[in-house]
Amino acid sequence: MRMFDYAFMVDGFPFGVKSNIHDIHDIHDIHDLPNLHKHNFVELVFVKSGQARHLFNDGSYEITTNDVYIINQGEAHGYALDKGEKLEIINCMFLPALFPASLLQELQITQSLDFFYVQPFLNNERRFHHRLNLPVQDAMRALNILDGMMTEMHNRHQGYQTFIRLQMIELFILLSRNYSFQEKKTGKKLNNNLMMVQRISGYIERHYDQKITIPMLAGLFAISERQLNRIFKQEIGLSVIEHLHNVRIEKAKYLLRETGEKIINVALSVGYDEPSFFNRLFVRIVGCSPGKYRNNID
């Protein structure tokens, strides 16, 4: 299975955007469709027009005009079309580093980005079978933002990176607002503490490779350190740091399975700059060393 790299990046900027059209006129066109593949980046997809089946891991579901969804790093997806079907999509490819913690805190928007930090980490039934389909007016607004980002990336005038960061934030606030409206309609709105835990957990999932501390999270999400630890223990039975370690070790296991990176590089990639600490933590959580884990993979 293909693992796409960072070829979309320009000038080291962790973002790319492009428009794609997939259609099938005869059987030979099937070979031009993207087969199941994985990314090492996040992908946001907006369906500009048409319909198809979106293949995701071991399942699939129908997608149609004005649908929006996110594919996380390491997830397998692709498309299947019937003869005569046509699908036009816009792909935004980016790394979570596009949104540095300093920018999120300055704008005070961590509770307005649920389509980025909460929705993509729900179970598959809630995530895709109740996926986001934008009303026409908001779909047009989203399309204007996406067109603007494509123009910025094409021209690359002075300040284009700042423009794109702000446009992506505008887009995610718009999508998160629609997601919130949708959740209220389905009657599945979570209690405040659990929603806060899911937001912070989503932030950790996105930024696990960066420095994360209790004071930083508390400041970012406008919550006291004591309250932060209390609601994590209450809702998931773990402290914030225990949860952070579990997320990082799961990411490390993925890298050990899917790549040939040296163990010291794997440790650095998941946020640990002390290999000895990473090894001890890995043994404690997984039950064996990173090297033995890799060797035991079938």
Side-chain angles (χ1 to χ4, degrees), residues 281-292:
L281 187 66
F282 195 97
V283 170
R284 191 177 81 201
I285 294 176
V286 181
C288 65
S289 69
K292 188 172 183 180

Side-chain angles (χ1 to χ4, degrees), residues 99-108 203 210 216 220:
F99 306 125
S102 57
L103 178 62
L104 297 177
Q105 187 160 10
E106 179 68 23
L107 296 176
Q108 298 182 338
Y203 180 88
Q210 300 171 22
M216 183 271 283
L220 195 57

